[in-house]
Amino acid sequence: MLMPRSEHSAKIQGLESRLARIEEQLQQVLSVASAALASANRIPESRVITMSSGEESDFDNAVRVRNTLPMPGSSTDTSGPSAGSTATSSPSESVIRASSPNLPPLEEILPIINTYFSQINQAIPLFSQAEFMRMLHDWYTHPARRTWAAWAAVNIVLALGSWIPTTPIQDMNFAEAETAFKGYMNNAQSVLAELVTREQDLLGLQTLLGLVILYQTMANSKQGAVLIGAAVRLVHRLQMQSRNNIEVSYPQEQGLHRCRLFWIAYMLDKEISLKHHTPSIQLDADIDQDLPSSDPADGVGDIYTGDGLVRVNYFRLRVRLAHIQGRTYDMLYSTRSSKISMAERQARVIRLTYLLENWRSNIPAEMLPDAINSRLGRMERILMSALYGSFVGCMVMVHGIWSQQAAWMKIISDRSLMALQMGRTDERKSCINQQPPLPSAWKRCVQLSREFSRALMQLPESDVNIWANLAALLSCLVIILTNMFQSPGHEDLEEDRQITQWLVRMLNKVKDLSVTVPLTQLHVVVADLERRAEAAVAMAQMKRQALQERLLMMSGQASWGQEIAQPEHGDDENVEQPLFWDTEAVDFGTLDMSNGLGGQTIVDWLDGQYPQGMDLGEAIS
């Protein structure tokens, strides 16, 4: 969608005027911050938080808090009372907090806050920037007004602003990636009991939703699945699902922000429902709200190409995809759907496929995977690649790629099938009852997997958002490897090899860190599938060469071990041209390899030639 330059200029001028007002407010904050900090600092001269003996016993050493802000996650992190403590394993566990809330100097956290509002909040409007900056101003100028909820909200903004490294990292250490923001998250979680019951303002809900967003980017996203329940219940108590209630009770600007918060909660609820195979909390039938606008007057949710000529509302796209994700769970994976007939299930698959393809058609060509790395800025690439990963993951689940009847399940060994069964949690066992993809659907899944993986390969590893995209990446790897086995002579073979090598390397880097997805067991499955795919490609090449030589010998133009004679000029029409082996039509499960393989089928031959203990990613020549 192209935006007229006059309209684009008007929006830019509006944004510049808003930024000018915000900068003026920040200058006011900075001018009084130094004086306020002296009176506001309640930390003793020793700068050690005083705790009861019971609290102190939860630490290996006393928690020392300086009046500066070191790197988040370090032992001297001062972003809040829980800095330097051990991360909790679940939201319900208690996190130690100090007797009064404290934040570092404003000038140290302001760059992180500005990063959050200029990049992340623009796409997912969790906070009103004007209201947040007023709250921050009051924090430093009126210490008596400080609340734990405000302190938690600031920590969430700091966590979200620190989520993506300032400088892209090509070789990412995913084991340490969460340390940049985990300390801030722990701070917010330390007041969780107060947040889930806070109804006098939006800070409790905003902090809960911020925590859920962050957990979606972490190795253990199950905690987000717990917190989204509390967040949606709070949404219901605040009556945000009712447009009439908001219109009657709040001014237009406040009402619009509350509506957007509702859709953020809805979006996360539906995404988590499909990802964890659990029912969502918000019923579509109980919603009386308009979808986010595709062209909002304030530009919230809009992202642009690098030249500013093409725009799409990312927020609306994500909410619409969340609706389809919710329907996918309800129609194919819910307990109720397990009782439908196969014909009805297939009709639902067709319907959901139409909805997904229609959703994709609303994305400008300049923002599709093949173009995002050349047309979008860094943050826009991160956002759109993650969004497309959710789309691919949903499409894969619609078409039953993980069905027990899927073609690739018949390729792998019994050992791999056992590992796959061990890796299935109770919540994921509904996958095996789905119908396998039809040939046309399989071809489409191969195309989408290749397209998505190719786009991610061009990103620095720090920008891949590995945990949010993990399920989609694993599905892409299985699909492409299976396609290599089934069609070892297809024209995109070399590209697919590069893609699978990259996917294997990425999954190897995180296989021991994953909590939600059982990568340890799936590692065995993928290793088996990979060696079979590579061996099938090698066998296809060998068989093709042998067949060509045999045909040439039969035609009398060449003999075994002799150089092929070239026809003289003008005699081409008299030469029988060699035929090439149609690899697409070969059934490798029954193919007779008697020429040098003792009459074995390729599957039997693979088991003998390539042991099952071969490491994932090991090349087969």
Side-chain angles (χ1 to χ4, degrees):
M1 172 180 175
L2 298 177
M3 183 172 65
R5 291 185 178 274
S6 59
E7 183 182 348
H8 177 61
S9 300
K11 285 200 172 185
I12 293 298
Q13 291 176 359
L15 290 173
E16 289 178 347
S17 63
R18 289 175 58 200
L19 288 174
R21 291 195 300 271
I22 292 171
E23 288 176 357
E24 183 179 354
Q25 292 177 350
L26 293 179
Q27 289 299 326
Q28 294 174 2
V29 173
L30 288 171
S31 64
V32 298
S34 298
L37 282 172
S39 60
N41 186 9
R42 300 175 183 270
I43 301 177
E45 209 169 321
S46 62
R47 294 178 182 175
V48 178
I49 294 180
T50 303
M51 299 182 179
S52 67
S53 58
E55 290 174 328
E56 201 168 281
S57 65
D58 289 338
F59 287 83
D60 293 332
N61 302 296
V63 180
R64 300 185 177 276
V65 181
R66 302 178 184 273
N67 198 18
T68 57
L69 181 62
M71 290 299 293
S74 66
S75 59
T76 56
D77 187 349
T78 67
S79 58
S82 69
S85 62
T86 303
T88 58
S89 61
S90 73
S92 60
E93 292 185 13
S94 61
V95 181
I96 296 175
R97 73 181 188 185
S99 57
S100 62
N102 290 283
L103 288 173
L106 178 64
E107 58 268 21
E108 296 187 11
I109 64 175
L110 203 52
I112 304 176
I113 293 173
N114 287 337
T115 297
Y116 166 74
F117 278 105
S118 63
Q119 296 183 355
I120 298 175
N121 197 74
Q122 169 63 19
I124 305 174
L126 186 60
F127 289 91
S128 164
Q129 185 172 4
E131 291 181 8
F132 184 89
M133 298 311 297
R134 280 196 293 268
M135 180 188 72
L136 194 64
H137 178 274
D138 286 346
W139 177 278
Y140 286 100
T141 56
H142 303 287
R145 301 180 186 175
R146 294 178 178 178
T147 65
W148 285 107
W151 175 77
V154 173
N155 272 280
I156 281 298
V157 168
L158 293 174
L160 289 166
S162 306
W163 164 52
I164 298 173
T166 305
T167 304
I169 302 173
Q170 189 58 50
D171 187 13
M172 188 70 178
N173 185 345
F174 293 102
E176 300 178 359
E178 296 175 6
T179 59
F181 57 86
K182 191 61 182 289
Y184 299 131
M185 289 184 65
N186 288 342
N187 292 340
Q189 280 198 168
S190 69
V191 293
L192 199 58
E194 178 180 333
L195 298 176
V196 296
T197 58
R198 188 178 181 88
E199 300 180 26
Q200 62 266 41
D201 56 32
L202 299 177
L203 292 177
L205 176 60
Q206 289 166 320
T207 304
L208 286 172
L209 293 176
L211 284 169
V212 176
I213 291 172
L214 287 164
Y215 274 121
Q216 294 300 95
T217 68
M218 298 173 66
N220 186 3
S221 62
K222 290 184 178 180
Q223 300 183 35
V226 176
L227 290 176
I228 190 60
V232 175
R233 293 303 182 195
L234 185 53
V235 163
H236 291 165
R237 293 201 300 273
L238 294 171
Q239 289 293 300
M240 287 184 171
Q241 77 275 20
S242 171
R243 176 175 52 187
N244 181 64
N245 176 71
I246 290 178
E247 290 177 349
V248 171
S249 306
Y250 302 97
Q252 182 177 2
E253 185 174 351
Q254 292 182 22
L256 178 60
H257 183 57
R258 285 175 174 259
C259 179
R260 286 168 173 167
L261 280 178
F262 167 78
W263 285 117
I264 292 174
Y266 175 90
M267 171 185 77
L268 295 171
D269 183 31
K270 299 301 180 180
E271 287 179 355
I272 289 172
S273 169
L274 186 60
K275 183 176 183 178
H276 293 276
H277 293 228
T278 56
S280 61
I281 299 173
Q282 177 61 60
L283 299 177
D284 287 352
D286 194 32
I287 298 175
D288 179 28
Q289 285 285 9
D290 294 328
L291 281 172
S293 172
S294 59
D295 187 19
D298 55 4
V300 169
D302 287 346
I303 61 173
Y304 290 82
T305 51
D307 55 16
L309 297 178
V310 182
R311 176 193 67 84
V312 73
N313 192 269
Y314 170 86
F315 186 46
R316 179 182 171 91
L317 276 177
R318 191 160 173 184
V319 170
R320 286 190 60 213
L321 180 59
H323 171 69
I324 302 173
Q325 290 172 316
R327 293 193 66 177
T328 299
Y329 174 82
D330 291 340
M331 296 173 71
L332 297 179
Y333 290 90
S334 63
T335 302
R336 183 174 62 254
S337 68
S338 65
K339 302 174 183 178
I340 62 176
S341 65
M342 285 299 169
E344 174 61 21
R345 184 174 296 274
Q346 191 58 52
R348 294 183 178 190
V349 167
I350 294 172
R351 174 60 178 165
L352 289 168
T353 302
Y354 169 78
L355 292 176
L356 284 167
E357 294 291 357
N358 183 63
W359 175 88
R360 186 181 183 274
S361 69
N362 287 277
I363 302 177
E366 295 81 358
M367 295 185 184
L368 289 174
D370 285 340
I372 60 174
N373 287 290
S374 61
R375 299 298 302 271
L376 300 182
R378 183 190 178 199
M379 180 53 63
E380 289 76 12
R381 287 197 299 268
I382 294 172
L383 292 171
M384 289 304 297
S385 62
L387 181 65
Y388 202 77
S390 297
F391 162 74
V392 172
C394 188
M395 183 71 81
V396 163
M397 293 190 68
V398 166
H399 287 295
I401 296 300
W402 293 89
S403 165
Q404 197 166 15
Q405 303 303 316
W408 68 274
M409 293 277 190
K410 303 174 183 178
I411 296 173
I412 58 178
S413 65
D414 291 342
R415 176 174 176 246
S416 297
L417 286 171
M418 185 179 299
L420 186 63
Q421 187 64 31
M422 290 173 60
R424 280 199 180 103
T425 58
D426 290 338
E427 64 186 19
R428 297 180 182 277
K429 288 181 179 177
S430 56
C431 290
I432 67 176
N433 298 321
Q434 303 304 311
Q435 287 181 304
L438 297 173
S440 59
W442 172 258
K443 185 177 181 179
R444 180 59 171 158
C445 287
V446 171
Q447 179 185 4
L448 294 175
S449 298
R450 188 180 292 135
E451 187 180 64
F452 174 55
S453 302
R454 185 167 53 222
L456 288 191
M457 286 175 62
Q458 301 177 49
L459 294 177
E461 289 184 1
S462 59
D463 297 354
V464 168
N465 201 356
I466 185 69
W467 299 116
N469 289 321
L470 183 59
L473 289 176
L474 187 59
S475 296
C476 289
L477 179 56
V478 167
I479 290 169
I480 294 176
L481 286 174
T482 303
N483 191 61
M484 288 172 59
F485 183 92
Q486 293 177 332
S487 305
H490 67 86
E491 60 183 8
D492 296 312
L493 177 62
E494 289 307 315
E495 181 186 23
D496 284 357
R497 275 178 154 171
Q498 295 176 13
I499 289 174
T500 55
Q501 289 170 6
W502 180 83
L503 288 171
V504 164
R505 183 171 62 82
M506 292 295 290
L507 293 174
N508 269 333
K509 295 184 75 168
V510 300
K511 72 180 180 67
D512 295 326
L513 306 174
S514 177
V515 177
T516 306
V517 179
L519 282 184
T520 303
Q521 289 82 13
L522 292 175
H523 174 273
V524 177
V525 179
V526 175
D528 184 18
L529 191 57
E530 184 195 28
R531 70 183 172 84
R532 292 175 185 274
E534 286 292 349
V537 170
M539 182 59 61
Q541 293 172 346
M542 182 180 69
K543 194 70 175 179
R544 183 187 298 111
Q545 182 180 0
L547 185 59
Q548 290 182 38
E549 291 175 347
R550 184 179 304 174
L551 289 172
L552 287 171
M553 291 176 62
M554 292 174 61
S555 67
Q557 300 300 316
S559 59
W560 186 268
Q562 295 181 344
E563 185 177 18
I564 299 174
Q566 298 297 322
E568 296 181 0
H569 180 70
D571 293 336
D572 297 54
E573 64 273 15
N574 298 321
V575 178
E576 183 179 354
Q577 298 297 326
L579 300 176
F580 290 90
W581 181 34
D582 182 10
T583 58
E584 302 286 342
V586 177
D587 181 359
F588 282 98
T590 58
L591 184 62
D592 183 7
M593 296 295 180
S594 56
N595 184 15
L597 295 179
Q600 300 179 92
T601 66
I602 188 170
V603 173
D604 295 335
W605 180 80
L606 288 174
D607 284 332
Q609 294 295 314
Y610 298 98
Q612 295 178 4
M614 183 172 292
D615 291 336
L616 181 61
E618 187 173 348
I620 299 175
S621 60

